[in-house]
Amino acid sequence: MSNCIIRLMLGNHAIAHGAMEAGIAVAAGYPGTPSSEIIEYLLDNGREFGVYAEWSSNEKVAYEVAYGAALAGARSIVTMKHVGLNVAMDPLMSSAYTGVKGGFVIITADDPGMWSSQNEQDNRWVGLHAYIPVFEPYDPQNAKDLVKLALEFSERHGHPVMMRTVTRVSHVRGPVTVCSPEKPRYSEGYVKEPRRHALVPANARTLKGELLRRWSTIEEDVEDAPHVYIDGNKNLIITSGVAFTYALEAVKNYGVKASILNVVTPVPLPRKVITDAVTRADKVIVIEEGDPVLEQQLKALLYDEDIRVPIMGKMENLFNRVGELTINSVMDGLTKALGIVNPLTSIKTISIDYSPPQRPPVFCPGCPHAASFYELKVSTARSGARPVFSGDIGCYSLGINNPFNEQDLLTNMGSSLGLGMGIYHGTNGKTLVIPIIGDSTFFHTGLPALVNAVYNKTPMLILILDNRVTAMTGGQPNPTSMISIENIAKAVGVDYVRTIDPFDTKKAQDTITEAMSVVKGGGVAVIIMRRGCALEATRLNRGHVARYYVDANACRACGICYNLIACPAIVPLENRKAWIDPNMCVGCSVCAQVCPYNAIKPEGNVKEWLGKWAEM
């Protein structure tokens, strides 16, 4: 411990550092809130110790990279957000059959409350479904400790292990004891084991039996995991994950009289640990974030053991099943279960007669794809078309808002092309469909759908909004910087492929109009709208950013610039004339191009600045 220090760390950074202390050799992931900082930390800090880390093209590929390393005998982790695990389900289910040789931990970061997600799902169910044990931490220090334990547990059993975090573990900061990383544990070489690693039916049938026998030993071993029991009262609170911190606060600060058992492994349950604690209790209250995964298993367990004690939790609606837990909601449920007064309801609140102004989400100032949506809107309106805009996952999801209203459906990564094809065929070819997809999402899951569109001759105009990075999650790199989307589209047989700069508004509108005529003739058209992310461009080119201002004498207050482009840097004054905030403007030039009165003027060397921006 002499080489250890205490640092204030983000939960995700603590997980990454814990994996390095455990000697991981390989890490792979796909960015997605709230998981992204794990791979970012390893990219920044792991290379000097010899750790290989990568952003993969999607979660399935990331899973296979880390899984393959573990099959060879290396220690590895894979990271993703909760919905990303759906993309990786195919290799995940098979990995439980083959097992692994090196320690292998799947880190899934759930997003209760859907702060940045299209749904909320509890991935502890996946562990039950796949016969993969689930470890669940409650704070950054615990997360660091558990990832080390999980890697050792995985290697001991030759089996993958999942660690489920939630937003309040991944994105909080806390004191963490960090020590020097271990030397990465790479494999000396892959040993061929086709009977185990090749899942043809004859092998898979044998391995299912082996999987069940391995699961029995895992069920026994989780009894020795560092579950926490705090003896206090005949009332027993059983928790898992972040719920433990709320239960502790309720007992320590708000007068709740109860014992607490925190279960580190909600899948599988430590049966002896739980039955031992429950036999000392008169009443059991289960608190967990997400679905009643722990509660349902607990009721089945106690029924099997013929233990009859009242069990209350989310299934009795004591705690909210939508969104995150809070100390208020936990105290509300606990006091109802215990028949006591909730002290939090007696705390006087301060009432302020003030409503903050509404702040709907908007594109960043100078975002090139706000211009793309503007140009698409103008082009379709001028041609009299009424297309269905099939959207996708990315910051361009903001195109759903006014004034664009160009995301009619939007469900999951890569869905824009697939759902669009369904709408085209489902309406017997009567609908003009325009899928809109980002560059990172195109490489993630859009590419197979493009192949399908060409193969099944489905006419569509596909807009690929290329801003050179995975912008929504913080600007992570993706294949767009090295692999030509144009060449891919041409190679799979797309009839019409064009690349345009959304900052060239007239050319963009003309190209979109031309492409729609191709689609009406039965072809598939791809337009790549390419211009780097405004945030990345200004970060990389500080000192070169030019700006624009409004000539008040020339402005006629027509409102085109602030109503149709919706750039947050442009606002109307009381006289309806436009004003550009110099602290927000990044000199994209689009407002100057759309102004019919030449009232928006450059300040600085715009040509040089836009040239540097175009180099991204």
Side-chain angles (χ1 to χ4, degrees):
M1 293 289 289
S2 59
N3 59 345
C4 301
I5 60 171
I6 296 175
R7 289 171 53 190
L8 186 66
M9 294 187 83
L10 196 70
N12 279 343
H13 292 172
I15 291 169
H17 198 91
M20 289 169 59
E21 287 184 21
I24 61 156
V26 174
Y30 185 80
T33 305
S35 71
S36 305
E37 296 84 0
I38 301 171
I39 292 294
E40 286 177 351
Y41 186 93
L42 291 170
L43 287 168
D44 290 342
N45 300 281
R47 284 176 178 160
E48 66 176 296
F49 297 99
V51 176
Y52 173 79
E54 71 167 41
W55 286 121
S56 305
S57 56
N58 70 25
E59 295 85 353
K60 177 177 179 289
V61 174
Y63 195 100
E64 289 163 346
V65 168
Y67 173 30
L71 284 176
R75 281 194 170 180
S76 65
I77 63 169
V78 60
T79 75
M80 60 199 72
K81 67 182 295 177
H82 62 303
V83 289
L85 199 62
N86 304 338
V87 181
M89 278 295 285
D90 212 353
L92 181 145
M93 296 298 290
S94 293
S95 66
Y97 278 61
T98 63
V100 289
K101 187 175 178 184
F104 176 40
V105 174
I106 309 140
I107 299 171
T108 169
D110 289 8
D111 183 19
M114 295 166 279
W115 297 108
S116 185
S117 306
Q118 63 268 42
N119 66 37
E120 67 181 9
Q121 66 186 45
D122 189 328
N123 277 345
R124 294 176 299 174
W125 295 119
V126 175
L128 280 171
H129 181 38
Y131 293 98
I132 292 179
V134 180
F135 285 57
E136 191 170 20
Y138 55 81
D139 69 11
Q141 177 68 60
N142 189 238
K144 198 209 83 164
D145 295 340
L146 279 192
V147 74
K148 296 172 67 175
L149 188 71
L151 280 160
E152 290 161 4
F153 189 97
S154 169
E155 200 160 283
R156 187 162 66 249
H157 290 277
H159 198 79
V161 170
M162 184 184 299
M163 192 164 97
R164 181 235 190 188
T165 71
V166 294
T167 306
R168 299 302 153 189
V169 174
S170 290
H171 280 177
V172 298
R173 291 183 185 274
V176 178
T177 301
V178 295
C179 306
S180 299
E182 272 196 19
K183 183 180 178 183
R185 299 190 188 186
Y186 283 97
S187 164
E188 294 298 322
Y190 174 69
V191 178
K192 293 182 180 180
E193 291 186 83
R195 189 197 67 79
R196 177 173 295 282
H197 294 171
L199 293 181
V200 294
N203 291 342
R205 289 187 200 106
T206 302
L207 291 171
K208 178 66 184 289
E210 288 186 24
L211 165 61
L212 294 176
R213 287 190 287 277
R214 201 156 61 237
W215 189 248
S216 293
T217 61
I218 287 171
E219 286 182 311
E220 293 174 7
D221 203 9
V222 296
E223 299 287 346
D224 296 326
H227 313 291
V228 177
Y229 178 74
I230 301 172
D231 195 3
N233 191 275
K234 287 286 188 180
N235 299 315
L236 174 64
I237 302 171
I238 300 183
T239 63
S240 178
V242 73
F244 179 51
T245 61
Y246 294 115
L248 271 180
E249 189 170 350
V251 169
K252 288 183 176 178
N253 298 337
Y254 297 116
V256 172
K257 298 188 182 305
S259 302
I260 305 174
L261 172 64
N262 183 59
V263 176
V264 168
T265 55
V267 179
L269 291 183
R271 297 174 70 94
K272 292 178 183 175
V273 169
I274 288 178
T275 53
D276 181 55
V278 170
T279 51
R280 296 182 233 168
D282 293 334
K283 181 182 290 185
V284 176
I285 304 163
V286 182
I287 312 176
E288 55 193 317
E289 185 139 284
D291 293 336
V293 178
L294 181 59
E295 183 182 352
Q296 285 194 16
Q297 294 182 88
L298 178 65
K299 287 177 176 173
L301 165 63
L302 297 187
Y303 181 85
D304 286 348
E305 299 292 335
D306 198 24
I307 297 172
R308 300 291 178 260
V309 60
I311 303 169
M312 293 172 283
K314 292 198 170 191
M315 296 177 74
E316 288 71 37
N317 295 319
L318 279 180
F319 305 99
N320 46 298
R321 293 182 67 164
V322 179
E324 299 180 294
L325 296 171
T326 64
I327 186 60
N328 286 342
S329 67
V330 167
M331 281 300 297
D332 192 45
L334 275 174
T335 50
K336 286 177 183 172
L338 298 174
I340 59 176
V341 175
N342 183 351
L344 295 182
T345 59
S346 63
I347 296 175
K348 292 183 179 178
T349 57
I350 300 172
S351 178
I352 301 174
D353 186 19
Y354 171 75
S355 297
Q358 295 294 310
R359 185 179 178 275
V362 294
F363 285 101
C364 299
C367 173
H369 299 309
S372 299
F373 279 107
Y374 164 76
E375 290 146 3
L376 178 61
K377 194 176 188 74
V378 171
S379 301
T380 52
R382 284 179 178 168
S383 66
R386 300 187 63 184
V388 169
F389 300 106
S390 186
D392 220 304
I393 303 296
C395 38
Y396 50 93
S397 304
L398 292 167
I400 197 172
N401 295 327
N402 282 324
F404 308 115
N405 302 308
E406 288 170 298
Q407 302 275 341
D408 296 312
L409 59 157
L410 190 163
T411 62
N412 57 278
M413 293 285 283
S415 67
S416 56
L417 280 83
L419 293 179
M421 284 185 273
I423 287 172
Y424 174 82
H425 291 297
T427 57
N428 200 22
K430 296 175 183 173
T431 307
L432 171 62
V433 179
I434 303 182
I436 303 164
I437 187 169
D439 52 303
S440 182
T441 313
F442 173 75
F443 284 110
H444 181 276
T445 37
L447 181 52
L450 176 63
V451 171
N452 191 70
V454 174
Y455 172 64
N456 287 301
K457 299 180 174 57
T458 308
M460 294 191 298
L461 166 55
I462 301 155
L463 254 62
I464 301 176
L465 309 185
D466 182 358
N467 60 9
R468 320 305 290 154
V469 293
T470 306
M472 186 170 73
T473 48
Q476 292 84 3
N478 69 55
T480 192
S481 60
M482 295 187 64
I483 300 173
S484 165
I485 298 174
E486 293 87 337
N487 287 347
I488 290 174
K490 290 174 183 173
V492 301
V494 175
D495 302 317
Y496 178 99
V497 180
R498 297 288 185 274
T499 302
I500 54 178
D501 182 352
F503 287 173
D504 188 343
T505 60
K506 184 175 184 311
K507 185 177 180 182
Q509 292 168 36
D510 292 344
T511 306
I512 293 170
T513 302
E514 181 180 77
M516 283 194 292
S517 67
V518 172
V519 175
K520 289 173 183 173
V524 176
V526 167
I527 298 178
I528 299 118
M529 311 282 279
R530 177 168 294 145
R531 175 60 77 156
C533 169
L535 293 178
E536 289 295 301
T538 51
R539 184 180 65 82
L540 294 172
N541 292 282
R542 292 186 193 283
H544 295 280
V545 179
R547 308 187 192 286
Y548 281 81
Y549 69 96
V550 177
D551 180 346
N553 294 323
C555 180
R556 305 289 180 85
C558 67
I560 289 176
C561 58
Y562 51 76
N563 285 327
L564 296 187
I565 302 174
C567 176
I570 309 174
V571 294
L573 300 173
E574 288 187 0
N575 60 7
R576 307 303 297 165
K577 291 190 177 185
W579 177 74
I580 297 177
D581 185 339
N583 296 311
M584 297 179 71
C585 178
V586 295
C588 73
S589 81
V590 173
C591 58
Q593 293 181 55
V594 303
C595 175
Y597 304 108
N598 196 29
I600 299 179
K601 313 284 189 185
E603 190 172 37
N605 192 335
V606 170
K607 187 175 180 181
E608 180 186 9
W609 158 232
L610 290 176
K612 286 188 174 294
W613 191 340
E615 292 171 3
M616 284 181 65

